[in-house]
Amino acid sequence: MRKRIVLALAVCWVLCVGLSGCFLFPNRPPVAAVVVHYNVNATDPMIVELDASGSTDPDGDAIVQYKWVFYDNFTILEPLAFSTVVAYPNLLVRCPSEGQYMLGLVVVDAQGLSSDPLAGIAVTVPQPMP
């Protein structure tokens, strides 16, 4: 009888660890991060690369979606000129003119959880001198 109880507990533990959303091991949301790379185009200082590859998930789940929020009139150049929801962490964008522009990002992990919105990311073009 004791072996059955130990075996049942072991099976429950393995199932609980294997299933996300278990009350003992809840799935946690990812964390969004963005770095702005300037001077990515030698002839056009208005083009910047938005790099969200530093976004992480504390459970080790893959980041499967990047939802970019543009508060200003950016032009997306790559990878998709028509969508702000992509499966790629990097976007190449063109700012319409000199100035400061704001954007945000939400990332989604493989379990479907979304990060808290990362808002207020400032992009200043051309790049300010240090």
Side-chain angles (χ1 to χ4, degrees):
M1 178 72 168
R2 184 179 172 120
K3 286 184 179 180
R4 286 185 182 173
I5 292 173
V6 170
L7 180 61
L9 288 173
V11 167
C12 287
W13 184 82
V14 168
L15 288 174
C16 192
V17 169
L19 299 173
S20 68
C22 174
F23 71 95
L24 294 176
F25 302 100
N27 188 21
R28 297 169 291 176
V31 178
V34 176
V35 174
V36 179
H37 298 286
Y38 294 94
N39 302 318
V40 295
N41 184 307
T43 61
D44 190 348
M46 300 293 123
I47 295 177
V48 297
E49 180 184 24
L50 306 174
D51 182 356
S53 62
S55 299
T56 60
D57 184 87
D59 304 311
D61 297 328
I63 304 294
V64 296
Q65 201 171 58
Y66 300 83
K67 296 179 179 181
W68 298 92
V69 178
F70 297 106
Y71 304 113
D72 295 297
N73 194 21
F74 285 88
T75 300
I76 302 170
L77 302 174
E78 290 179 13
L80 302 172
F82 57 86
S83 178
T84 59
V85 178
V86 295
Y88 309 102
N90 295 25
L91 277 185
L92 198 61
V93 299
R94 184 174 196 289
C95 301
S97 60
E98 291 185 11
Q100 187 174 54
Y101 300 91
M102 304 301 285
L103 62 103
L105 173 67
V106 172
V107 295
V108 179
D109 70 12
Q111 299 296 323
L113 285 181
S114 297
S115 67
D116 288 334
L118 184 59
I121 303 162
V123 176
T124 303
V125 290
Q127 179 182 16
M129 298 305 281

PDB file of all heavy atoms in Angstrom, residues 47-67:
ATOM      1  N   ILE A  47      16.783  55.652 -40.724  1.00  0.00           N
ATOM      2  CA  ILE A  47      16.509  54.221 -40.596  1.00  0.00           C
ATOM      3  C   ILE A  47      17.194  53.691 -39.341  1.00  0.00           C
ATOM      4  O   ILE A  47      18.384  53.922 -39.127  1.00  0.00           O
ATOM      5  CB  ILE A  47      16.974  53.443 -41.842  1.00  0.00           C
ATOM      6  CG1 ILE A  47      16.152  53.891 -43.057  1.00  0.00           C
ATOM      7  CG2 ILE A  47      16.836  51.941 -41.626  1.00  0.00           C
ATOM      8  CD1 ILE A  47      16.573  53.247 -44.360  1.00  0.00           C
ATOM      9  N   VAL A  48      16.405  52.994 -38.508  1.00  0.00           N
ATOM     10  CA  VAL A  48      16.928  52.373 -37.301  1.00  0.00           C
ATOM     11  C   VAL A  48      16.461  50.923 -37.250  1.00  0.00           C
ATOM     12  O   VAL A  48      15.476  50.542 -37.882  1.00  0.00           O
ATOM     13  CB  VAL A  48      16.472  53.113 -36.016  1.00  0.00           C
ATOM     14  CG1 VAL A  48      17.008  54.529 -35.987  1.00  0.00           C
ATOM     15  CG2 VAL A  48      14.970  53.097 -35.866  1.00  0.00           C
ATOM     16  N   GLU A  49      17.205  50.119 -36.491  1.00  0.00           N
ATOM     17  CA  GLU A  49      16.810  48.737 -36.258  1.00  0.00           C
ATOM     18  C   GLU A  49      16.306  48.617 -34.829  1.00  0.00           C
ATOM     19  O   GLU A  49      16.971  49.057 -33.889  1.00  0.00           O
ATOM     20  CB  GLU A  49      17.981  47.777 -36.473  1.00  0.00           C
ATOM     21  CG  GLU A  49      17.586  46.338 -36.231  1.00  0.00           C
ATOM     22  CD  GLU A  49      18.764  45.386 -36.350  1.00  0.00           C
ATOM     23  OE1 GLU A  49      19.917  45.812 -36.167  1.00  0.00           O
ATOM     24  OE2 GLU A  49      18.518  44.198 -36.606  1.00  0.00           O
ATOM     25  N   LEU A  50      15.129  48.037 -34.678  1.00  0.00           N
ATOM     26  CA  LEU A  50      14.560  47.765 -33.373  1.00  0.00           C
ATOM     27  C   LEU A  50      14.825  46.300 -33.057  1.00  0.00           C
ATOM     28  O   LEU A  50      14.388  45.413 -33.789  1.00  0.00           O
ATOM     29  CB  LEU A  50      13.062  48.053 -33.370  1.00  0.00           C
ATOM     30  CG  LEU A  50      12.666  49.453 -33.843  1.00  0.00           C
ATOM     31  CD1 LEU A  50      11.156  49.569 -33.935  1.00  0.00           C
ATOM     32  CD2 LEU A  50      13.246  50.511 -32.928  1.00  0.00           C
ATOM     33  N   ASP A  51      15.566  46.046 -31.992  1.00  0.00           N
ATOM     34  CA  ASP A  51      16.030  44.705 -31.670  1.00  0.00           C
ATOM     35  C   ASP A  51      15.425  44.241 -30.349  1.00  0.00           C
ATOM     36  O   ASP A  51      15.765  44.749 -29.287  1.00  0.00           O
ATOM     37  CB  ASP A  51      17.558  44.719 -31.581  1.00  0.00           C
ATOM     38  CG  ASP A  51      18.171  43.367 -31.292  1.00  0.00           C
ATOM     39  OD1 ASP A  51      17.424  42.395 -31.076  1.00  0.00           O
ATOM     40  OD2 ASP A  51      19.414  43.289 -31.265  1.00  0.00           O
ATOM     41  N   ALA A  52      14.530  43.264 -30.426  1.00  0.00           N
ATOM     42  CA  ALA A  52      13.887  42.711 -29.233  1.00  0.00           C
ATOM     43  C   ALA A  52      14.412  41.324 -28.904  1.00  0.00           C
ATOM     44  O   ALA A  52      13.785  40.581 -28.150  1.00  0.00           O
ATOM     45  CB  ALA A  52      12.379  42.673 -29.429  1.00  0.00           C
ATOM     46  N   SER A  53      15.575  40.971 -29.447  1.00  0.00           N
ATOM     47  CA  SER A  53      16.118  39.627 -29.202  1.00  0.00           C
ATOM     48  C   SER A  53      16.532  39.419 -27.747  1.00  0.00           C
ATOM     49  O   SER A  53      16.729  38.291 -27.319  1.00  0.00           O
ATOM     50  CB  SER A  53      17.300  39.347 -30.136  1.00  0.00           C
ATOM     51  OG  SER A  53      18.352  40.260 -29.881  1.00  0.00           O
ATOM     52  N   GLY A  54      16.612  40.491 -26.967  1.00  0.00           N
ATOM     53  CA  GLY A  54      16.921  40.371 -25.545  1.00  0.00           C
ATOM     54  C   GLY A  54      15.705  40.056 -24.693  1.00  0.00           C
ATOM     55  O   GLY A  54      15.817  39.901 -23.475  1.00  0.00           O
ATOM     56  N   SER A  55      14.535  39.940 -25.310  1.00  0.00           N
ATOM     57  CA  SER A  55      13.325  39.558 -24.566  1.00  0.00           C
ATOM     58  C   SER A  55      13.494  38.125 -24.073  1.00  0.00           C
ATOM     59  O   SER A  55      14.042  37.282 -24.780  1.00  0.00           O
ATOM     60  CB  SER A  55      12.088  39.663 -25.462  1.00  0.00           C
ATOM     61  OG  SER A  55      11.907  40.991 -25.902  1.00  0.00           O
ATOM     62  N   THR A  56      13.019  37.872 -22.867  1.00  0.00           N
ATOM     63  CA  THR A  56      13.232  36.553 -22.250  1.00  0.00           C
ATOM     64  C   THR A  56      11.942  36.007 -21.654  1.00  0.00           C
ATOM     65  O   THR A  56      10.983  36.734 -21.445  1.00  0.00           O
ATOM     66  CB  THR A  56      14.285  36.635 -21.131  1.00  0.00           C
ATOM     67  OG1 THR A  56      13.821  37.557 -20.137  1.00  0.00           O
ATOM     68  CG2 THR A  56      15.636  37.073 -21.664  1.00  0.00           C
ATOM     69  N   ASP A  57      11.975  34.722 -21.373  1.00  0.00           N
ATOM     70  CA  ASP A  57      10.890  34.072 -20.663  1.00  0.00           C
ATOM     71  C   ASP A  57      11.490  33.343 -19.463  1.00  0.00           C
ATOM     72  O   ASP A  57      12.403  32.537 -19.628  1.00  0.00           O
ATOM     73  CB  ASP A  57      10.169  33.075 -21.572  1.00  0.00           C
ATOM     74  CG  ASP A  57       8.972  32.469 -20.880  1.00  0.00           C
ATOM     75  OD1 ASP A  57       7.895  33.066 -20.941  1.00  0.00           O
ATOM     76  OD2 ASP A  57       9.121  31.406 -20.241  1.00  0.00           O
ATOM     77  N   PRO A  58      11.010  33.624 -18.243  1.00  0.00           N
ATOM     78  CA  PRO A  58      11.607  33.015 -17.053  1.00  0.00           C
ATOM     79  C   PRO A  58      11.447  31.505 -16.987  1.00  0.00           C
ATOM     80  O   PRO A  58      12.184  30.834 -16.253  1.00  0.00           O
ATOM     81  CB  PRO A  58      10.885  33.704 -15.892  1.00  0.00           C
ATOM     82  CG  PRO A  58       9.645  34.261 -16.464  1.00  0.00           C
ATOM     83  CD  PRO A  58       9.933  34.537 -17.914  1.00  0.00           C
ATOM     84  N   ASP A  59      10.514  30.947 -17.759  1.00  0.00           N
ATOM     85  CA  ASP A  59      10.315  29.497 -17.781  1.00  0.00           C
ATOM     86  C   ASP A  59      11.098  28.819 -18.902  1.00  0.00           C
ATOM     87  O   ASP A  59      11.045  27.606 -19.043  1.00  0.00           O
ATOM     88  CB  ASP A  59       8.823  29.171 -17.946  1.00  0.00           C
ATOM     89  CG  ASP A  59       7.979  29.807 -16.863  1.00  0.00           C
ATOM     90  OD1 ASP A  59       8.337  29.667 -15.686  1.00  0.00           O
ATOM     91  OD2 ASP A  59       6.980  30.448 -17.200  1.00  0.00           O
ATOM     92  N   GLY A  60      11.771  29.621 -19.729  1.00  0.00           N
ATOM     93  CA  GLY A  60      12.526  29.058 -20.840  1.00  0.00           C
ATOM     94  C   GLY A  60      11.691  28.821 -22.085  1.00  0.00           C
ATOM     95  O   GLY A  60      12.181  28.242 -23.052  1.00  0.00           O
ATOM     96  N   ASP A  61      10.422  29.244 -22.077  1.00  0.00           N
ATOM     97  CA  ASP A  61       9.587  29.089 -23.269  1.00  0.00           C
ATOM     98  C   ASP A  61      10.097  30.010 -24.371  1.00  0.00           C
ATOM     99  O   ASP A  61      10.630  31.077 -24.106  1.00  0.00           O
ATOM    100  CB  ASP A  61       8.126  29.458 -22.968  1.00  0.00           C
ATOM    101  CG  ASP A  61       7.491  28.551 -21.923  1.00  0.00           C
ATOM    102  OD1 ASP A  61       7.855  27.365 -21.868  1.00  0.00           O
ATOM    103  OD2 ASP A  61       6.625  29.038 -21.172  1.00  0.00           O
ATOM    104  N   ALA A  62       9.906  29.573 -25.601  1.00  0.00           N
ATOM    105  CA  ALA A  62      10.318  30.390 -26.748  1.00  0.00           C
ATOM    106  C   ALA A  62       9.402  31.604 -26.871  1.00  0.00           C
ATOM    107  O   ALA A  62       8.208  31.533 -26.591  1.00  0.00           O
ATOM    108  CB  ALA A  62      10.255  29.568 -28.032  1.00  0.00           C
ATOM    109  N   ILE A  63       9.973  32.724 -27.300  1.00  0.00           N
ATOM    110  CA  ILE A  63       9.177  33.902 -27.653  1.00  0.00           C
ATOM    111  C   ILE A  63       8.731  33.677 -29.092  1.00  0.00           C
ATOM    112  O   ILE A  63       9.553  33.517 -29.986  1.00  0.00           O
ATOM    113  CB  ILE A  63       9.993  35.202 -27.540  1.00  0.00           C
ATOM    114  CG1 ILE A  63      10.600  35.368 -26.144  1.00  0.00           C
ATOM    115  CG2 ILE A  63       9.130  36.400 -27.919  1.00  0.00           C
ATOM    116  CD1 ILE A  63       9.625  35.562 -25.023  1.00  0.00           C
ATOM    117  N   VAL A  64       7.413  33.641 -29.312  1.00  0.00           N
ATOM    118  CA  VAL A  64       6.902  33.297 -30.636  1.00  0.00           C
ATOM    119  C   VAL A  64       6.273  34.476 -31.379  1.00  0.00           C
ATOM    120  O   VAL A  64       6.010  34.382 -32.573  1.00  0.00           O
ATOM    121  CB  VAL A  64       5.880  32.140 -30.556  1.00  0.00           C
ATOM    122  CG1 VAL A  64       6.557  30.870 -30.052  1.00  0.00           C
ATOM    123  CG2 VAL A  64       4.698  32.501 -29.677  1.00  0.00           C
ATOM    124  N   GLN A  65       6.035  35.579 -30.653  1.00  0.00           N
ATOM    125  CA  GLN A  65       5.404  36.712 -31.318  1.00  0.00           C
ATOM    126  C   GLN A  65       5.876  38.018 -30.686  1.00  0.00           C
ATOM    127  O   GLN A  65       6.030  38.106 -29.473  1.00  0.00           O
ATOM    128  CB  GLN A  65       3.885  36.588 -31.170  1.00  0.00           C
ATOM    129  CG  GLN A  65       3.087  37.356 -32.176  1.00  0.00           C
ATOM    130  CD  GLN A  65       1.615  36.983 -32.081  1.00  0.00           C
ATOM    131  OE1 GLN A  65       1.011  37.126 -31.032  1.00  0.00           O
ATOM    132  NE2 GLN A  65       1.061  36.521 -33.180  1.00  0.00           N
ATOM    133  N   TYR A  66       6.100  38.982 -31.547  1.00  0.00           N
ATOM    134  CA  TYR A  66       6.505  40.330 -31.135  1.00  0.00           C
ATOM    135  C   TYR A  66       5.442  41.288 -31.655  1.00  0.00           C
ATOM    136  O   TYR A  66       5.230  41.383 -32.861  1.00  0.00           O
ATOM    137  CB  TYR A  66       7.870  40.684 -31.720  1.00  0.00           C
ATOM    138  CG  TYR A  66       8.958  39.730 -31.274  1.00  0.00           C
ATOM    139  CD1 TYR A  66       9.157  38.520 -31.926  1.00  0.00           C
ATOM    140  CD2 TYR A  66       9.764  40.040 -30.193  1.00  0.00           C
ATOM    141  CE1 TYR A  66      10.133  37.637 -31.503  1.00  0.00           C
ATOM    142  CE2 TYR A  66      10.748  39.165 -29.760  1.00  0.00           C
ATOM    143  CZ  TYR A  66      10.927  37.959 -30.421  1.00  0.00           C
ATOM    144  OH  TYR A  66      11.889  37.085 -29.985  1.00  0.00           O
ATOM    145  N   LYS A  67       4.755  41.959 -30.738  1.00  0.00           N
ATOM    146  CA  LYS A  67       3.689  42.896 -31.120  1.00  0.00           C
ATOM    147  C   LYS A  67       4.204  44.310 -30.886  1.00  0.00           C
ATOM    148  O   LYS A  67       4.286  44.783 -29.760  1.00  0.00           O
ATOM    149  CB  LYS A  67       2.439  42.641 -30.283  1.00  0.00           C
ATOM    150  CG  LYS A  67       1.830  41.279 -30.504  1.00  0.00           C
ATOM    151  CD  LYS A  67       0.610  41.081 -29.628  1.00  0.00           C
ATOM    152  CE  LYS A  67      -0.006  39.724 -29.876  1.00  0.00           C
ATOM    153  NZ  LYS A  67      -1.213  39.522 -29.055  1.00  0.00           N
TER     154      LYS A  67
END
